Amino acid sequence: MKDVKCECGHVNPHGTVLCEACGKVLDEQSEGKSLLDMRYEGSARRSQTYNKSIVDKIWNFFSSVKVGVWLIVITLVASAAGTILPQEMYIPPTMPAAEYYKDQYGWFGALYYELGLNNLYSSWWYLVLIAMIGISLVICSLDRVVPLYKALKAQRVTRHEGFLKRQRLFGISKNVDKNDLEVVKQRLESKRYNVREENGDLLAEKGRFSRWGPYVNHVGLIIFLIGGMLRFVPGMYIDKVLWLREGETKVVPETDGQYYVANEKFILENYNKEEDKTFEAAIDRAGMVVKNYQTNAVLYKRVGPAIPGEQPELEKVKEHKIRVNQPLKFEQFALYQVDYKLDELNTMSFSLTNKETGKTFGDVKISLYDPEPKYDLGNGYRVEVLSFFPDFEFAESGEPTTKSRIPNNPAFVFKMISPEAPEGETSFVAIQQTIEPLGDNQYKMAFKGIETKNVTALTVRKDLTIWIIVLGGIIFMIGVIQGAYWNHRRIWVQTKNGETWIAAHTNKNWYGLKKEIETALSETKINIPDDQIQRVEMDKEGV
């Protein structure tokens, strides 16, 4: 497609509506319009010029503002759907995710999992939506800002008559002295207009930088989206929950086994309504109000290489009392206090007992998180753990099963071996009860007691993208301020055939522009220009 040469000599790209230099209307379809559309200075946009190749069609699709808005709406709806139920990363690792959602939320939870909403923000289609929004922002910006910049850079002081006549503010004055023009020029310069003069014609302009506000917004959003997408790059963003029991030491996730954290003690403090009158009503209503919960933690670092099957050698790094908003920080990681569980079952004790005489032949203390398979009591007495059900219940078929891996209702199937029964007897024991559905035994495993421990939940967080996201937000706000609090104003004053023509345009705040023109033209022979949009509306109404 050939470029279009205007009568002023300037060569315009194909599709230009108004000559970039003089403003002459080049598009025949725009000839009959009363006022000019100055939104993009009538410049040629690629999306409105080319529509043949597949590249053109893709460009045109993403350059549409409507497409961008719909992509944002779809992404917002999808993001909202991801908040209906907890994401998989925030659920306790007690059972497979599919079972957890079905058990906790019924058929809706199962559907939620099947639709993949449990890992929504890391799903491929959600990332594609984010990428499409970024592509739309880039193409929308390039499609508009490049031709707009070229048009504003190429504009001349002297403009075509048709350009001036079809501005919203336009007027003609006669018998104007040169002194009046000089007064107007000085007044406009005093109002911080950049005044250019050419052959006796004036162009006063200020606030052009405000036209770039929307595109600065786009740059900020693009940087923000890049920061958000980088969170899915391994090692850039970590947000995992670590459950840690008192006295327990665990490796810190995503540290390649380099760092370990120990829960020395968990402390919970509640407000006392006798001492804290402010919370008296809340305490009466809720029973208690938590004042502080903290984990007295110790951070360790592994010494030497990790050897499979051996306990690592650990070196203490530091101690820290982890409270809400007072994390334990090391390198680029931070451990935050987020949750707790009091008095979780930790161990159960049993006695191998003769059912008739009540005589015991040894005690067994079993960890509910790592039970041993066999316990030797000596003198030919031995106990084996055949089955362990941390959260015991009977299935519909009548078979024993477990609802989760957390020992909320532990039960065991024991095999008891004694000199009188070398082949072994079977005992089914649940918490605080002994069930004998498996035959008449001489011995039983009698429940003796339990031990509990407090459990703390720490969020392991690492975020290398936060500065990118913050930078994007700052740039976005700069664009908002730039476009909202300033406006691009231009005033043309030209002499044609002994008459003085004045025209003006702004991208917003016409009232402010009119007031400035009135001040600049006061006590001169130049008439204040008319607001032609009122005349156009009257013509449409037939007045």
Side-chain angles (χ1 to χ4, degrees), residues 7-251:
E7 62 184 27
C8 70
H10 182 75
V11 179
N12 298 277
H14 175 80
T16 303
V17 177
L18 302 176
C19 175
E20 295 174 340
C22 70
K24 183 180 182 299
V25 178
L26 302 177
D27 184 4
E28 296 180 357
Q29 296 180 354
S30 301
E31 285 287 351
K33 295 183 179 179
S34 299
L35 299 179
L36 295 177
D37 183 0
M38 297 286 289
R39 187 166 42 172
Y40 303 110
E41 302 295 308
S43 55
R45 289 163 50 198
R46 190 185 193 284
S47 61
Q48 297 179 338
T49 306
Y50 302 95
N51 191 26
K52 289 186 177 180
S53 67
I54 184 64
V55 175
D56 296 335
K57 295 184 184 299
I58 294 175
W59 183 278
N60 296 347
F61 175 79
F62 283 106
S63 67
S64 171
V65 174
K66 291 183 179 179
V67 170
V69 170
W70 274 110
L71 286 174
I72 293 173
V73 169
I74 293 171
T75 304
L76 288 175
V77 172
S79 301
T83 65
I84 297 175
L85 298 181
Q87 291 291 289
E88 186 173 333
M89 68 177 71
Y90 298 114
I91 67 174
T94 56
M95 64 176 73
E99 297 180 15
Y100 177 86
Y101 281 100
K102 184 177 181 180
D103 179 71
Q104 295 293 322
Y105 307 105
W107 66 269
F108 182 76
L111 178 63
Y112 197 83
Y113 179 84
E114 291 297 326
L115 292 176
L117 299 177
N118 57 306
N119 282 315
L120 171 70
Y121 305 113
S122 59
S123 62
W124 66 268
W125 62 269
Y126 187 82
L127 295 179
V128 167
L129 278 176
I130 299 296
M132 290 177 69
I133 292 176
I135 293 171
S136 176
L137 288 171
V138 171
I139 292 180
C140 271
S141 299
L142 293 176
D143 189 59
R144 291 162 174 80
V145 72
V146 173
L148 177 61
Y149 172 77
K150 290 181 178 179
L152 290 175
K153 185 179 181 180
Q155 66 175 340
R156 297 175 182 173
V157 174
T158 301
R159 307 291 271 183
H160 192 271
E161 293 181 6
F163 177 85
L164 298 176
K165 286 180 179 180
R166 293 164 64 184
Q167 294 298 321
R168 175 172 172 176
L169 298 183
F170 175 72
I172 298 177
S173 303
K174 297 180 179 180
N175 303 320
V176 177
D177 298 333
K178 289 185 177 180
N179 292 335
D180 289 338
L181 295 176
E182 188 63 28
V183 169
V184 171
K185 177 181 177 182
Q186 293 177 359
R187 288 176 177 176
L188 290 175
E189 287 177 340
S190 68
K191 291 185 176 295
R192 293 176 299 207
Y193 277 87
N194 177 29
V195 181
R196 295 163 53 194
E197 187 172 359
E198 181 182 289
N199 300 325
D201 298 334
L202 301 178
L203 167 59
E205 181 180 19
K206 73 174 180 180
R208 183 192 294 188
F209 75 98
S210 68
R211 298 289 291 273
W212 317 128
Y215 310 107
V216 174
N217 288 346
H218 290 183
V219 172
L221 285 174
I222 291 167
I223 294 175
F224 188 91
L225 291 175
I226 291 174
M229 295 187 70
L230 283 176
R231 290 191 165 201
F232 300 102
V233 175
M236 294 294 291
Y237 179 77
I238 297 168
D239 189 358
K240 293 190 174 182
V241 177
L242 175 65
W243 288 89
L244 200 60
R245 297 167 187 86
E246 285 183 326
E248 188 176 25
T249 301
K250 281 188 177 180
V251 65

Side-chain angles (χ1 to χ4, degrees), residues 12 21 70 110 168 181 247 302 318 469 471 513 533:
N12 298 277
W70 274 110
R168 175 172 172 176
L181 295 176
R302 190 188 72 214
K318 63 178 176 180
I469 294 174
L471 176 64
L513 177 61
I533 197 170

